[in-house]
Each structure stands twice: as structure tokens, then as C-alpha cells.
Amino acid sequence: MRDGEQTPGVSLMPEEKVWIARNLDSLGVDVIEAGSAVTSAGEREGIKAVVKERLNAEICSFARVLKQDIDCALECDVDSVHLVVSVSDLHIKAKLKKDRDSVRQMAVDAVEYAKKHGLIVELSGEDASRADLDYLTSVYRAGIDAGADRLCFCDTVGVMNPERTYDLFSRLTSELKVPISIHCHNDFGLATANTVAALRGGAAQCHVTVNGVGERAGNTAIEEVAVVLKSLYQVNTNLVLQNLYPTSKLVSRLMGIPVGTNKALVGENAFMHESGIHTHGLMANTATYEPITPETIGRKRQIVLGKHAGRTSVVLALREIGLEATDSQVDEITARIKDLGDKGKHVTDADLMSIADSVLDMQSEARIKLIDCTVLSGNHATPTASLKVTIDGQEVVESGVGLGPVDAALNALRKAVMGVADIKLEEYRVEAITGGTDALVEVWVKMSRGDRFISARGAGPDIIMASVIAFIEGMNRLVQEKNGISAKH
């Protein structure tokens, strides 16, 4: 949590730290680094709030190898400290302006002080990946002699590669007989690969953040490591994988950092399918185009429909939202979706639900069918509509005017079906299903014929066509048990 909160622009309130900590604990995280106690009074308040939760996880504070940092951690009553000391010559000379021996002694003094006050100590080498290995090892050995419980190797600027990481951890874990952690940054996109390589080389623990948040390009993502270990290496952890996605969503919301759409596992597109070829494979076996089931990490599969959609995609998408349709209804739904796709729009679940409901509510043997509708409107022109429909298979062409383009289209439709003159429009409502100027709109109408009332709806990117579709659907439902509609000639 501490390194994640160091993402530029992020500052968590104490109650937000508690929410995240609770979720991390439910996820099964072993150690929660709740913050850096020396940072501020507000930070200490947040760490104390996490400690008061009495979670199963060990609660840790980040600390430099300075007495004041350790005292602030003690004030928060944490279980452990993550003591960080610079170990590369670059950091020792440029940042600390000290020499190797004095820095090593600082580490020893800090470990002894923290242990004297009853803290679990993890001694961490900052910028270890650019440090002299013999010097790094000497600092680690001195730390162990001073009482350090764990060690940590920090790839502070993400310059390691998996091959070097594996070799280095194989050596360190064979020489140093205490647990060693790996702490990676993602500057070159290798944080997960390096973390897994370190674990393969003998690392006992890894430092991770939810969604890979952190400074610059972020840290190793917990969801990636957890699923890679389970799925690719058959290594079980204590993590409850089904809680990964809910935790990802919570952290994203509280930190105000959107997850990239193509982010592995937790990105919006991770279990989203559009291609007809892919969805055809999913129908046969979801493993054809999914390495794990979305439910593994608490997600659901999404079928996105657009111009690439085929009948198989539509059938699967309908099944995902609990709907069944006849072959002819699937054809109609597919045609409407492709039409939207050709206009550059993707159909969301909400869009699909509206389109499907509209089509499924229509009678398979609809007596009134729309062939074409054209509307003209302008600043000084009277809105005029012309449309072509078939009534019981006979073609009818009619026109009408109105106060607006929708009114004109519906008036033309009324004239086309004079045989049902007693149908009245009781209520008309328009809603945008999704945001944006290209939003799919849903038109609801309430219509009556005598003492019978029905509601109908139409959906599409064009409010006029959606209105006509809703009106025709309502007419068909009102006349389904009536006879006597005759086409005008």
C-alpha cells in the first residue's frame, strides 16, 4: 500500500487505507505495508487506523535506517518495519554523500534499534540491482548479525532481467540463510517476469501492489504474480484469487487511477470478446480463447458486439444475459448490431438487452413491417416524413408532416394504417442507454386500442427510427388478435 500510494497524485485518507487493508486481508496478503510513518501526522493516523483493525496480516511501516523513522513506526504500534538502506555507489555518493562503511553501520544500528523495541525487521537494499554484489552481500550479512528477520532486494529502477534475477537469487538464497524478498519496479515492463524469476530462484516473499500502481511505471502487480504462479507454475499461495478483481476495482476507485483497458487480467478487455471466430470457439469450449475462466479472479466474461459480430457471437451474448431467441430473431438482432457496428459503435450489454427485448417482443409474423423511412427537417421547413411499410404483405407508401421529425414520421405511419385508426399514443419517452453523442437511445411508448393498453420500445442510434420501431412494435401487438387491417391502394 505504501509504494502504491506513492503513485503521483494519490493520497489516501485514513478510512480509505482501512478499506483497502480490509480487502487485502480478505485477499490473503501476508504483510501489508500500510505507509511510511515518518511522512506526516495524517499518515500515522492512517497506519494506526489499519493497526486497530486487528487484521490477520502483519502490518508494516516503511522506514529509512534512521532512529526518527523507527520511532514514528513504534508510535503506530505496527508489527514490523521495512528498513531501507541505499546500497549502490550511485545512491551512496550522490544521495547520501557517505561512504560504504558508514552506510553499512547505519543499517546495523537501525536493525539493532528496531529489534530492541520488539519489531520484526526486513532489511532492504535500495537500488540493489545496480550495487556491487560483494558489498550488497556484506550489508545483508551485517544486518543478519544485527538481528534482521528478513532481507529484501530492490530493483528500484527496474533494470533487471529474468535471467539475471534468477541467477542472482539462486546465489543469494544459497548463501544467506534468512528469507529474502524481491521488490521490482516496472520501468521496462519486466516487473512480473523478474518477480517470478526471483521466486523460482528461491525468494520467499515478493513485494507487490494492486493493479501494479506505484511510482513512475509502477510496481509488480499482485494479480499478475498470483495468477501466473497458479496457472503457469502450479504453485499455490494463500491468496483468494476470486477476490483479485473486486480488490482491483476498489483500489482503482479510491486512488482515482483507471486501470488500462488492455491490462492483464483486470483490464476491461481482459475477458472481452468480439471476433466471430473467437466467440464461435468459446461456444464449443471457453478454453479455446481464454487461458483461465474469468470467474477464477472474480470476473465475468463479456461479449462485445460490433461489425465483426456473427450469429454465433450474438447467440453467446444473448446466453450470457439469459435470453434465448429463434433463428429469425437472432438474424434480426445480428442485422441491427452490424448496422450499428458499421456506424462505428460497439454494442454494450445494456444496448444488446434493449435491442433483444425490442426484437423478441415483436411477433414473428408481424403484420406491419417497416421497409423504409425518410424524414426532412430544417430551420424554416415543415418536418416531413415519407415511409414504406408492408401490411399483411402488401406494400404501402405514405407521407406526413408534424411539429418535429418524430411527430412527422409517426403521423405518416398512422396514415399508412388507417384500418387501425383507433390506436392512440398515450405516452412517449426517450432515454439514452449509454453516454456520448453517439449513444444508443431507447424509445418507450404506451399505446391503446379501445380498453387495451400496451407498452413497447425501440432502440437505435437514430431517435426517429427508434421511435418508428417502437410504434410499429406496439401496433403489431395491439392488432395480433384482431382482423380487418387492409392495405391502402
Side-chain angles (χ1 to χ4, degrees):
M1 192 189 302
R2 187 273 313 172
D3 222 347
E5 193 180 0
Q6 286 181 198
T7 301
V10 173
S11 180
L12 296 172
M13 299 295 288
E15 60 271 22
E16 293 172 329
K17 280 183 177 287
V18 169
W19 292 339
I20 293 175
R22 287 173 183 161
N23 276 264
L24 293 176
D25 198 52
S26 297
L27 183 59
V29 169
D30 299 293
V31 181
I32 298 173
E33 191 172 300
S36 178
V38 76
T39 300
S40 67
E43 180 77 341
R44 289 190 289 279
E45 182 183 347
I47 297 173
K48 290 175 183 178
V50 172
V51 170
K52 287 178 181 177
E53 289 293 306
R54 301 302 178 199
L55 303 173
N56 293 319
E58 174 188 313
I59 308 302
C60 177
S61 172
F62 175 92
R64 295 166 298 179
V65 286
L66 299 173
K67 182 177 179 293
Q68 69 188 70
D69 286 37
I70 299 170
D71 286 340
C72 288
L74 289 167
E75 178 188 333
C76 297
D77 198 27
V78 294
D79 301 306
S80 63
V81 283
H82 176 205
L83 287 179
V84 179
V85 60
S86 295
V87 290
S88 70
D89 289 331
L90 174 62
H91 276 224
I92 291 171
K93 295 174 182 178
K95 188 175 79 169
L96 300 181
K97 301 189 184 306
K98 295 183 180 295
D99 57 57
R100 286 183 174 187
D101 290 340
S102 59
V103 168
R104 181 169 48 234
Q105 189 59 47
M106 288 173 62
V108 169
D109 293 343
V111 171
E112 289 177 342
Y113 185 77
K115 289 300 294 180
K116 179 181 176 182
H117 287 81
L119 292 169
I120 299 169
V121 174
E122 181 164 330
L123 178 61
S124 192
E126 184 179 19
D127 204 27
S129 50
R130 295 190 293 184
D132 174 73
L133 187 55
D134 290 335
Y135 174 68
L136 172 66
T137 305
S138 76
V139 172
Y140 282 157
R141 290 189 187 280
I144 294 171
D145 292 341
D149 301 281
R150 300 188 294 259
L151 303 173
C152 179
F153 182 102
C154 292
D155 184 19
T156 303
V157 290
V159 295
M160 295 288 282
N161 60 51
E163 295 79 12
R164 183 185 171 213
T165 303
Y166 176 80
D167 291 342
L168 193 148
F169 268 80
S170 297
R171 173 178 169 178
L172 288 176
T173 54
S174 66
E175 294 180 3
L176 305 170
K177 301 306 180 183
V178 295
I180 305 178
S181 304
I182 177 66
H183 179 115
C184 291
H185 282 259
N186 202 39
D187 296 79
F188 285 89
L190 291 172
T192 296
N194 288 335
T195 297
V196 172
L199 293 170
R200 290 183 58 240
Q205 179 176 275
C206 57
H207 291 199
V208 290
T209 63
V210 176
N211 299 333
V213 294
E215 292 186 270
R216 304 184 314 279
N219 294 63
T220 305
I222 186 172
E223 62 277 2
E224 294 177 9
V225 174
V227 177
V228 165
L229 290 177
K230 175 67 175 177
S231 299
L232 303 184
Y233 292 92
Q234 292 73 53
V235 173
N236 292 317
T237 64
N238 292 327
L239 296 179
V240 181
L241 299 185
Q242 292 85 349
N243 290 350
L244 284 171
Y245 186 61
T247 303
S248 164
K249 296 291 285 184
L250 175 74
V251 169
S252 175
R253 178 171 61 83
L254 293 182
M255 288 191 169
I257 302 176
V259 176
T261 55
N262 63 335
K263 169 75 171 64
L265 300 168
V266 293
E268 182 181 351
N269 290 355
F271 294 95
M272 189 176 284
H273 307 271
E274 178 180 356
S275 164
I277 295 173
H278 281 211
T279 51
H280 181 76
L282 291 171
M283 286 282 286
N285 187 326
T286 57
T288 53
Y289 289 103
E290 288 177 347
I292 62 170
T293 62
E295 292 78 13
T296 301
I297 59 169
R299 298 201 63 172
K300 291 185 178 180
R301 180 177 302 106
Q302 288 182 279
I303 306 300
V304 175
L305 301 171
K307 68 179 181 181
H308 300 115
R311 292 185 81 262
T312 302
S313 304
V314 173
V315 170
L316 183 58
L318 290 172
R319 185 178 300 170
E320 290 289 325
I321 60 174
L323 296 177
E324 296 288 341
T326 64
D327 288 345
S328 60
Q329 288 169 334
V330 170
D331 289 339
E332 174 62 22
I333 294 169
T334 303
R336 294 193 188 188
I337 289 169
K338 283 185 175 293
D339 182 59
L340 290 172
D342 286 337
K343 293 179 173 67
K345 181 172 179 59
H346 282 99
V347 177
T348 66
D349 285 349
D351 297 337
L352 175 63
M353 181 74 79
S354 182
I355 293 170
D357 283 352
S358 176
V359 171
L360 296 180
D361 282 345
M362 294 173 64
Q363 300 304 305
S364 58
E365 298 298 330
R367 299 177 66 185
I368 307 168
K369 297 181 180 179
L370 177 68
I371 304 301
D372 186 45
C373 178
T374 303
V375 179
L376 299 176
S377 182
N379 289 338
H380 305 292
T382 300
T384 304
S386 62
L387 57 79
K388 181 189 297 184
V389 297
T390 60
I391 302 173
D392 291 334
Q394 298 185 53
E395 189 175 287
V396 176
V397 177
E398 192 54 84
S399 63
V401 297
L403 297 177
V406 173
D407 189 41
L410 297 187
N411 284 337
L413 185 56
R414 287 190 185 95
K415 291 172 67 176
V417 288
M418 292 292 288
V420 202
D422 58 338
I423 290 180
K424 296 180 180 179
L425 177 63
E426 303 286 346
E427 186 180 335
Y428 175 87
R429 187 172 81 250
V430 178
E431 296 177 359
I433 300 174
T434 50
T437 56
D438 63 343
L440 194 69
V441 297
E442 190 170 58
V443 174
W444 287 83
V445 294
K446 183 177 181 181
M447 305 169 69
S448 67
R449 185 184 188 194
D451 59 357
R452 188 180 177 206
F453 291 80
I454 61 98
S455 292
R457 63 178 169 179
D462 186 323
I463 188 174
I464 300 171
M465 290 305 300
S467 301
V468 171
I469 289 169
F471 209 69
I472 289 178
E473 178 192 329
M475 285 183 166
N476 276 312
R477 291 173 61 187
L478 282 172
V479 302
Q480 62 181 334
E481 297 177 357
K482 303 288 184 179
N483 294 313
I485 296 182
S486 57
K488 292 175 62 181
H489 299 284

